[in-house]
mmCIF file of all heavy atoms in Angstrom:
data_model
loop_
_atom_site.group_PDB
_atom_site.id
_atom_site.type_symbol
_atom_site.label_atom_id
_atom_site.label_comp_id
_atom_site.label_asym_id
_atom_site.label_seq_id
_atom_site.Cartn_x
_atom_site.Cartn_y
_atom_site.Cartn_z
ATOM 1 N N THR O 439 100.989 96.971 130.901
ATOM 2 C CA THR O 439 101.175 96.521 132.281
ATOM 3 C C THR O 439 102.632 96.669 132.741
ATOM 4 O O THR O 439 103.538 96.433 131.955
ATOM 5 C CB THR O 439 100.786 95.056 132.463
ATOM 6 O OG1 THR O 439 101.783 94.240 131.892
ATOM 7 C CG2 THR O 439 99.472 94.742 131.790
ATOM 8 N N GLY O 440 102.817 97.071 133.992
ATOM 9 C CA GLY O 440 104.182 97.132 134.533
ATOM 10 C C GLY O 440 104.329 98.214 135.605
ATOM 11 O O GLY O 440 103.907 99.362 135.394
ATOM 12 N N ASP O 441 104.945 97.834 136.692
ATOM 13 C CA ASP O 441 105.215 98.810 137.787
ATOM 14 C C ASP O 441 106.252 99.837 137.358
ATOM 15 O O ASP O 441 106.386 100.856 137.967
ATOM 16 C CB ASP O 441 105.700 98.084 139.078
ATOM 17 C CG ASP O 441 104.504 97.439 139.793
ATOM 18 O OD1 ASP O 441 103.372 97.800 139.510
ATOM 19 O OD2 ASP O 441 104.766 96.482 140.611
ATOM 20 N N GLU O 442 107.020 99.425 136.320
ATOM 21 C CA GLU O 442 108.124 100.334 135.896
ATOM 22 C C GLU O 442 107.675 101.389 134.920
ATOM 23 O O GLU O 442 108.464 102.233 134.497
ATOM 24 C CB GLU O 442 109.261 99.457 135.266
ATOM 25 C CG GLU O 442 109.030 98.950 133.818
ATOM 26 C CD GLU O 442 108.139 97.683 133.773
ATOM 27 O OE1 GLU O 442 107.252 97.512 134.610
ATOM 28 O OE2 GLU O 442 108.323 96.902 132.801
ATOM 29 N N ASP O 482 101.547 95.954 138.361
ATOM 30 C CA ASP O 482 101.761 94.520 138.454
ATOM 31 C C ASP O 482 101.119 93.899 139.687
ATOM 32 O O ASP O 482 101.758 93.293 140.511
ATOM 33 C CB ASP O 482 103.281 94.240 138.445
ATOM 34 C CG ASP O 482 103.900 94.423 137.035
ATOM 35 O OD1 ASP O 482 103.198 94.061 136.063
ATOM 36 O OD2 ASP O 482 105.007 94.896 136.951
ATOM 37 N N SER O 503 100.108 94.467 126.811
ATOM 38 C CA SER O 503 101.526 94.132 126.681
ATOM 39 C C SER O 503 102.158 93.984 128.047
ATOM 40 O O SER O 503 101.813 94.703 128.993
ATOM 41 C CB SER O 503 102.239 95.177 125.860
ATOM 42 O OG SER O 503 102.379 96.376 126.571
ATOM 43 N N GLY O 504 103.078 93.041 128.146
ATOM 44 C CA GLY O 504 103.819 92.806 129.363
ATOM 45 C C GLY O 504 103.110 91.862 130.283
ATOM 46 O O GLY O 504 101.905 91.561 130.109
ATOM 47 N N GLY O 505 103.840 91.363 131.230
ATOM 48 C CA GLY O 505 103.239 90.529 132.292
ATOM 49 C C GLY O 505 102.775 89.178 131.884
ATOM 50 O O GLY O 505 101.977 88.562 132.604
ATOM 51 N N VAL O 506 103.259 88.664 130.736
ATOM 52 C CA VAL O 506 102.760 87.345 130.351
ATOM 53 C C VAL O 506 103.947 86.337 130.378
ATOM 54 O O VAL O 506 103.808 85.213 129.879
ATOM 55 C CB VAL O 506 102.196 87.272 128.913
ATOM 56 C CG1 VAL O 506 100.701 87.719 128.934
ATOM 57 C CG2 VAL O 506 102.957 88.114 127.915
ATOM 58 N N TYR O 511 106.052 88.771 138.824
ATOM 59 C CA TYR O 511 104.912 89.739 138.814
ATOM 60 C C TYR O 511 104.119 89.642 137.478
ATOM 61 O O TYR O 511 103.432 90.555 137.099
ATOM 62 C CB TYR O 511 105.457 91.150 138.988
ATOM 63 C CG TYR O 511 106.155 91.306 140.305
ATOM 64 C CD1 TYR O 511 107.515 91.092 140.413
ATOM 65 C CD2 TYR O 511 105.432 91.566 141.484
ATOM 66 C CE1 TYR O 511 108.218 91.175 141.634
ATOM 67 C CE2 TYR O 511 106.102 91.663 142.669
ATOM 68 C CZ TYR O 511 107.443 91.477 142.772
ATOM 69 O OH TYR O 511 108.068 91.534 143.998
ATOM 70 N N ASP O 512 104.273 88.538 136.787
ATOM 71 C CA ASP O 512 103.555 88.374 135.511
ATOM 72 C C ASP O 512 102.211 87.742 135.736
ATOM 73 O O ASP O 512 102.023 86.531 135.646
ATOM 74 C CB ASP O 512 104.429 87.526 134.572
ATOM 75 C CG ASP O 512 105.663 88.258 134.091
ATOM 76 O OD1 ASP O 512 105.614 89.541 134.168
ATOM 77 O OD2 ASP O 512 106.607 87.615 133.649
ATOM 78 N N GLY O 553 106.109 92.036 126.736
ATOM 79 C CA GLY O 553 106.384 93.444 127.074
ATOM 80 C C GLY O 553 107.503 94.048 126.271
ATOM 81 O O GLY O 553 107.446 95.304 126.052
HETATM 82 MG MG1 MG G 1678 106.230 93.473 133.329
#
Side-chain angles (χ1 to χ4, degrees):
T439 73
D441 283 342
E442 76 278 32
D482 285 324
S503 71
V506 277
Y511 300 92
D512 290 339

